Amino acid sequence: MKRTLIFLCGGVLLSAAASCSVDNATPVPSDPRVQMEFTAGAPGTRTAISSDNSVIWSEGDAISIFDGTGNNRFDISDGSGTASAKFTGAAAETDKYYALYPYSADADLVGTTLHATLPAIQYAEENTFGTGLNPSVAVTDASRNLTFHNVAGILKVSLSGSSVDGRSIREIQVKPGAKNMAGPYTVAMDEATPAATAASSGSPVGVQLKSRDGGAMSGTDFYLVLLPGTYQNVELTVICTDGSYMTGTSGTFTITAGEVNTTTVDLSAATANDQGLYGLYQAGIDIEIGGKTYTPEDLLNTFTKVIHITSNNAESTNLTSPGVYFIDPDVTITNDGTRGWNKIMLIGNDPSVRTKVNMSSYIAVNNADGQFVCYNMEFTDSRSSGSYMFTSNFDGGYESVVFDNCKFSLLAGSSLISVSSPKPGSTARYINNTTIVDSEISLPEYT
C-alpha cells in the first residue's frame, strides 16, 4: 500500500510564528498485512443449493478473516459453483486464523469468541437461502485450509395449494414467544462443534422474509435463517399479495445449527382480508417501515392509538393528536397548516397504490421526542409557490423523520426538508435521524 505525506508550510495555512519540519514528522506505520490465499470447504448448508441438493460457493462470496489484529475481507477468486473455493485478500502473518461467512465489517473477535449479527429482515431467493445470509465459521489447519461449520439453522416453509385462488406469497414472518431468533449473537470458536448463541434483549426478535422489491416471492419453498435453540409458542404467519394471510402457533420449536427444519402451509385455508394493511395489523402481524419492524404493540406504545381512516370518517378524524393512521386510497388528507405533526405515522392502507396528501401548507414539527413516519403516501404541493415541505421548529433535536415508499411533487425552487434557524441564544435545530427509502422526488425545471 503506497502512502504519501503532504506537508503544508507558510503563513497562508499556519501562523507566521509556526514552523514546519519534515524531520519532526511522525512516521506512518507500515501496513503489517500481506497478500495471502485460503482454500475454503463449503459447510453442510450455506448460501446456495444446486439441483442435486449439494452445497456450493457462489460468485461474489466474501469471508471475514481474523488475524488477531483485525477483521479482513477476503473475496472468492476461484471455485464459484463448487464445494471448494479459493479466497484471496490481505492479513497479518500469524499461526492461526479464524473465519466467518459471510463477510461482515461489524463482526469482531474477542479472544476466541466471535461477535456478529444475523439480520432479522431477510430477502428471499427462489428455492434457496438469501445470498450472504447463512453464517458459518472456520479455523485454519496447518495448511491454511478452512472447513466451515454452520452456526445457524434453517426453517424451510413449503407451500401446498399454492395455486388456490391465484395467490402468491408477499411475506413470511416467524415470531418466538421468548428468546431471539435473529440479531446479535456470539460463537465460541474453540468448541469442537461451534454454534451461535443469541444475545439477550428486551423483546424477542423474530424474522421477516420477503422479496427485495416488496412484491411476490418466487418459488414454492422458502428458507429463513434462524439462530439455533428451542423456542416456545412460535407464531408463523404467511401473507399473500392479495392481503390474505395464515397464522399458526407451534408449542415447541427446535432449530439446530446446520440442519433444515421443514413446515408445510396449505394456502387454501388462508383468511381473506378486505381491510388492507390495517387488516394485517388487526391480525397481529408486524409491519416494516424504513428498515424498522414495528409490532402492533410497538405502534400502540409509541403512537398511543391506531385508527383506520375511510371515506366515512375522514372529515371527523383529528390528525393533530399522536397516532397511527391507516388511510384508504380514496381519501385525500389535506395539510392546511393547522396540524401539529408530532408522534404521527401515516400509512397508505392499500399496498398497491399510494394515498394522497394535499399540501396547502408545509408540515411543521416541534417536539423533542417526536416521530413523523410515512409509508405508501403521495405528497403534492398545491401552493402557488413554496420553499419546503417539511421543517422542524423545535430548538434542539427532533427525534426522527421517515419516508418509505412515498412520492413527493415539489414546486420549482423548493426543497423536501428544511430546518429553520433557532431563536437568538437558543439551541441549534436539527433532526436526529432521517430515513428516505424507495421513494420518488419530482422537481420541475426552472430558471
Side-chain angles (χ1 to χ4, degrees), residues 1 34 64 114 154 159 167 170 218 242 250 258 370 382 405 438:
M1 178 180 292
V34 296
S64 289
L114 174 72
I154 304 295
L159 303 182
R167 288 189 177 100
R170 189 184 87 207
S218 300
D242 64 359
S250 171
S382 61
N405 190 32
D438 297 334

Side-chain angles (χ1 to χ4, degrees), residues 130-148:
T131 300
L133 188 61
N134 190 21
S136 56
V137 300
V139 182
T140 52
D141 61 15
S143 302
R144 285 189 178 175
N145 294 319
L146 296 166
T147 300
F148 279 85

Side-chain angles (χ1 to χ4, degrees), residues 347-365:
I347 298 176
N349 196 39
D350 185 342
S352 65
V353 58
R354 294 181 176 118
T355 294
K356 298 184 182 301
V357 180
N358 176 32
M359 301 288 293
S360 60
S361 179
Y362 59 81
I363 294 172
V365 296

